[in-house]
């Protein structure tokens, strides 16, 4: 709600820029609340005519694609020492366990990990740099990056925007409670894709091998 209130105080062009920059930096590998900013901005667009949802979705998509691509280039050049450095700077996000989980997902699913990773907070941060570190062919990365960016950024914007339009007529009487309900409805509508992406990441976990019994 604080994000929503703050966004209402800035001009539309600043909202577009903020969405593109925050999502771009998150996709590049910096832990930022890209999804929160996008959902709040899309909901704001449904209530204020100054913000064009098409432009907003385009900025979000561009930020996602460009950020991932820069992250890929950085990861390809920096290699595994980069992951070790990130682990020291951001242990909550780039700890050894997180990196191992993401790496298993990439090794098992390849470009699909990049695509579905867009819908999972952890993999959304890792996707670009880790794909570069693992030397994924760029054309595969770019294909998954573009498709995932369009579906996640554009889809989230469209869903939240239209939910806000439909809900506003009857939720406005409840003031901020209606706003919260609109956000919850919009986020819930994205859970199907998120669950599928999470299942993809979970399926990459290796099956524990029983320890041999000593003589």
């Amino acid at each position: 709600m604080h994000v929503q209130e703050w966004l209402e105080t800035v001009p539309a062009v600043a909202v577009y820029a903020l969405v593109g920059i925050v999502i771009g930096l998150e996709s590049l590998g910096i832990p930022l609340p890209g999804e929160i900013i996008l959902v709040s901005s899309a909901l704001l667009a449904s209530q204020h005519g100054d913000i064009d949802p098409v432009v907003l979705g385009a900025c979000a998509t561009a930020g996602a694609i460009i950020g991932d691509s820069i992250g890929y280039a950085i990861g390809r050049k920096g290699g595994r020492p980069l992951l070790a450095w990130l682990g020291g700077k951001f242990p909550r996000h780039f700890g050894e366990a997180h990196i191992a989980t993401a790496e298993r997902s990439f090794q098992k699913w390849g470009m699909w990990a990049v695509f579905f990773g867009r819908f999972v907070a952890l993999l959304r941060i890792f996707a670009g740099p880790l794909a570069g570190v693992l030397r994924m062919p760029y054309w595969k990365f770019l294909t998954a990056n573009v498709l995932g960016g369009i579906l996640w950024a554009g889809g989230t914007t469209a869903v939240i925007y239209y939910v806000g339009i439909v809900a506003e007529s009857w939720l406005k009487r409840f003031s901020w409670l209606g706003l919260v309900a609109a956000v919850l409805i919009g986020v819930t509508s994205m859970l199907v894709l998120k669950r599928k992406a999470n299942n993809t990441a979970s399926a990459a976990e290796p099956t524990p091998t029983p320890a041999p019994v000593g003589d």
Side-chain angles (χ1 to χ4, degrees):
M1 291 302 300
H2 294 299
V3 173
Q4 181 80 21
E5 292 170 359
W6 181 80
L7 288 173
E8 292 178 352
T9 66
V10 300
V13 64
V15 175
Y16 301 146
L18 178 68
V19 168
I21 291 172
V22 170
I23 291 177
L25 291 176
E26 182 189 39
S27 302
L28 189 152
I30 299 176
L32 290 175
E35 191 167 50
I36 294 176
I37 294 294
L38 179 57
V39 168
S40 299
S41 300
L43 184 60
L44 184 64
S46 72
Q47 301 165 346
H48 298 275
D50 292 341
I51 300 177
D52 188 331
V54 175
V55 177
L56 181 66
C59 290
T61 301
I65 295 172
I66 293 172
D68 253 7
S69 297
I70 295 175
Y72 175 91
I74 293 174
R76 192 174 181 90
K77 183 175 182 180
R80 293 191 176 276
L82 173 65
L83 296 181
W85 180 83
L86 289 173
K89 294 293 184 180
F90 307 102
R92 289 184 56 189
H93 300 276
F94 289 91
E96 292 183 6
H98 289 161
I99 292 177
T101 298
E103 187 169 354
R104 285 193 294 268
S105 299
F106 270 70
Q107 290 174 340
K108 183 175 180 64
W109 299 102
M111 62 186 297
W112 288 110
V114 177
F115 178 83
F116 286 115
R118 177 55 59 183
F119 300 90
V120 182
L122 175 63
L123 289 180
R124 186 160 59 243
I125 297 172
F126 275 115
L130 190 56
V133 170
L134 297 178
R135 302 281 175 170
M136 177 182 290
Y138 183 69
W139 71 267
K140 288 186 177 182
F141 169 79
L142 183 62
T143 300
N145 179 26
V146 170
L147 294 178
I150 291 174
L151 186 59
W152 175 74
T156 299
T157 302
V159 168
I160 299 299
Y161 175 79
Y162 286 112
V163 165
I165 290 291
V166 172
E168 185 179 15
S169 61
W170 63 274
L171 288 177
K172 61 183 178 182
R173 71 185 66 177
F174 299 108
S175 183
W176 66 272
L177 290 176
L179 198 60
V180 172
V183 173
L184 293 176
I185 293 171
V187 171
T188 300
S189 66
M190 300 298 295
L191 287 181
V192 173
L193 282 174
K194 284 182 172 294
R195 179 174 295 181
K196 187 172 182 179
N198 280 321
N199 289 340
T200 299
S202 298
E205 293 284 352
T207 302
T209 302
V213 178
D215 295 331

